[in-house]
């Protein structure tokens, strides 16, 4: 089955409360799309609408170009993996993986090679005879992924698949998922997460969700380099957000004129990433008092109060970092200063 997912103005409500508001979004065949947003923003609901576990009150869902809105989950041909593995405890790994194939009435002679293929893909070929309780959390999650892949879905839905794992395992599984995607380049993946690192690492594009709505969608680089809203700026990476006034004389932060790349009509917030702010003299120079210095191993984060606003600079580790109360100068390049449109993301 060829992949691709399309949400066409999909609205979902529970007891009259809209939790997904007219979502329009297309995931191309073979694309990894992350749905990124805080808890309760409607991400899982969007995923469940694709799987067929919730029914939209309006709008349509398409898979591989076909309208599946009225199809039951088992006829949609999607693989889904949720946070808590949800393996059948009384079934061996191989029978867990075979489960979807049996439900689809795949021929018995087909089942064994398909199970072997899926376990091979997830690095679990040796574990077919074990029961879930005999596996670690990370291994159980691999089995859950193998089970989802066994039906050779065109679309793979992943709902916070790493959040039950500890940090070290998570980073290993992140690389595993990236490898898996390279081996299955035609499968579209919709990946729900509230973790920006996962989204930035894995996704071809990120759809940023907040308050039941899609706020912004773009490549990780676009969203990081040039977010359109304060919400995205703050959620994808860390950001300095400074109030500015934009007039005929230019862009001003207090009395200080700021050079930016491209002016947005009516803009009132300037976004500069902390790692693009330097200490010392330079373009777009600001002076203020150091309020905090954090040592972060390879870098120092120096926070400076400038006209009552905190500006953070992430700089390579300093031999002689400034101290609390020191007056310092900061600067940033015009091409690293993005103006955010007023109101975007604040509806
Ligand atoms: P996210 O995945 O972004 O954390 P969800 O899509 O799970 O958000 O939830 C969106 C909103 O819908 C939340 O306010 C949640 O409480 C509500 N919700 C989710 N599932 C149900 C349900 N079965 N019944 C009622 N409300 C629900």
């Amino acid at each position: 089955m060829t992949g691709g997912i399309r949400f066409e103005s999909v609205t979902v409500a529970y007891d009259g409360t809209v939790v997904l508001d007219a979502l329009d979004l297309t995931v191309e065949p073979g694309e990894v799309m992350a749905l990124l947003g805080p808890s309760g923003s409607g991400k899982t609901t969007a995923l469940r609408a694709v799987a067929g576990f919730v029914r939209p009150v309006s709008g349509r869902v398409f898979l591989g170009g076909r309208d599946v809105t009225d199809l039951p989950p088992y006829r949609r041909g999607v693989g889904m993996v949720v946070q808590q593995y949800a393996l059948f405890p009384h079934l061996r790994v191989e029978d867990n993986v075979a489960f979807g194939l049996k439900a689809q009435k795949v021929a018995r002679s087909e089942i064994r090679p398909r199970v072997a293929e899926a376990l091979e893909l997830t690095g679990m070929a040796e574990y077919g005879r074990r029961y879930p309780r005999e596996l670690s959390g990370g291994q159980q999650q691999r089995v859950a992924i193998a089970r989802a892949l066994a039906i050779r879905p065109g679309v793979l839905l992943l709902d916070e698949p790493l959040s039950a794992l500890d940090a070290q395992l998570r980073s290993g599984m992140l690389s595993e998922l990236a490898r898996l995607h390279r081996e299955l380049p035609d499968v579209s993946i919709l990946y729900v997460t509230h973790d920006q690192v996962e989204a930035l690492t894995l996704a071809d594009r990120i759809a940023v969700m907040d308050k039941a709505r899609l706020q912004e969608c773009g490549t990780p680089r676009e969203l990081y380099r040039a977010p359109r809203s304060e919400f995205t700026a703050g959620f994808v990476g860390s950001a300095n957000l400074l109030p500015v006034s934009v007039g005929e004389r230019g862009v001003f932060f207090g009395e200080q004129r700021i050079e930016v790349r491209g002016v947005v009509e009516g803009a009132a917030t300037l976004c500069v990433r902390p790692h693009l702010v330097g200490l010392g003299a330079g373009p777009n120079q600001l002076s203020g008092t150091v309020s905090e210095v954090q040592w972060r191993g390879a870098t120092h984060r120096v926070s400076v109060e400038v006209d009552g606003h905190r500006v953070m600079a992430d700089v390579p580790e300093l031999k002689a970092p400034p101290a609390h109360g020191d007056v310092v100068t900061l600067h940033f390049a015009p091409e690293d200063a993005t103006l955010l449109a007023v109101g975007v993301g604040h509806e």
Side-chain angles (χ1 to χ4, degrees):
M1 188 186 147
T2 54
I5 307 169
R6 186 150 59 90
F7 295 87
E8 212 174 79
S9 199
V10 172
T11 296
V12 175
Y14 291 114
D15 305 323
T17 304
V18 170
V19 300
L20 187 65
D21 193 357
L23 176 64
D24 282 307
L25 186 68
T26 300
V27 186
E28 302 296 342
E31 186 177 35
V32 182
M33 175 77 78
L35 285 179
L36 176 69
S39 179
S41 54
K43 308 181 298 292
T44 295
T45 301
L47 200 84
R48 290 171 64 82
V50 176
F53 298 129
V54 300
R55 201 182 149 77
V57 290
S58 60
R60 312 300 296 177
V61 177
F62 297 82
L63 287 174
R66 185 164 71 125
D67 186 340
V68 297
T69 320
D70 299 318
L71 285 186
Y74 63 90
R75 293 192 49 207
R76 296 191 180 198
V78 302
M80 183 158 169
V81 176
V82 298
Q83 185 179 340
Q84 291 300 344
Y85 328 135
L87 299 176
F88 301 109
H90 59 289
L91 294 183
R92 293 182 192 274
V93 163
E94 57 195 14
D95 295 318
N96 263 285
V97 176
F99 190 83
L101 298 171
K102 288 181 179 157
Q104 283 193 347
K105 307 240 183 315
V106 170
R108 281 181 72 96
S109 58
E110 253 294 277
I111 289 180
R112 199 179 257 279
R114 293 271 286 270
V115 168
E117 174 193 83
L119 287 175
E120 187 70 41
L121 264 173
T122 52
M124 291 298 289
E126 311 291 309
Y127 297 85
R129 302 293 294 163
R130 294 220 192 160
Y131 286 96
R133 65 172 179 276
E134 297 167 339
L135 301 175
S136 71
Q139 290 170 332
Q140 290 186 48
Q141 193 57 307
R142 283 167 192 258
V143 174
I145 294 169
R147 182 175 60 183
L149 291 175
I151 61 163
R152 295 191 181 146
V155 162
L156 185 60
L157 306 174
L158 302 174
D159 190 357
E160 304 263 6
L162 309 185
S163 54
L165 308 177
D166 64 46
Q168 202 176 351
L169 260 181
R170 220 168 26 234
S171 128
M173 277 298 280
L174 210 50
S175 315
E176 275 291 290
L177 286 172
R179 177 191 60 78
L180 206 57
H181 182 57
R182 284 195 298 275
E183 293 190 22
L184 302 167
D186 300 330
V187 176
S188 304
I189 298 180
L190 191 58
Y191 188 100
V192 164
T193 181
H194 62 270
D195 183 314
Q196 49 155 301
V197 175
E198 287 176 24
L200 290 169
T201 309
L202 272 186
D204 297 310
R205 283 190 299 157
I206 299 174
V208 180
M209 304 280 299
D210 188 36
K211 300 190 179 75
R213 286 200 175 182
L214 174 64
Q215 302 293 327
E216 209 168 326
C217 181
T219 65
R221 201 177 165 76
E222 280 164 4
L223 296 184
Y224 189 79
R225 287 279 300 161
R228 287 176 53 234
S229 68
E230 283 186 33
F231 182 81
T232 303
F235 211 81
V236 181
S238 55
N240 290 302
L241 297 172
L242 302 175
V244 290
S245 58
V246 182
E248 282 175 8
R249 290 165 48 240
V251 177
F252 284 82
F253 172 60
E255 299 299 309
Q256 176 69 42
R257 192 187 149 102
I258 305 283
E259 297 295 336
V260 301
R261 55 163 184 177
V263 166
V264 174
E265 197 72 28
T269 302
L270 181 74
C271 170
V272 192
R273 299 295 182 182
H275 76 278
L276 298 171
V277 178
L279 279 175
N284 288 330
Q285 196 164 304
L286 304 172
S287 290
T289 311
V290 173
S291 58
E292 194 181 1
V293 179
Q294 289 176 351
W295 178 69
R296 299 183 162 199
T299 59
H300 272 102
R301 169 164 289 189
V302 182
S303 298
V304 180
E305 292 296 319
V306 182
D307 287 347
H309 296 279
R310 169 175 282 218
V311 183
M312 300 172 292
D314 289 344
V315 294
E317 190 187 12
L318 298 163
K319 285 223 169 59
H324 181 94
D326 285 358
V327 173
V328 296
T329 302
L330 304 171
H331 68 275
F332 50 90
E335 63 268 26
D336 296 330
T338 304
L339 284 175
L340 305 178
V342 181
V344 175
H346 288 278
E347 300 95 311

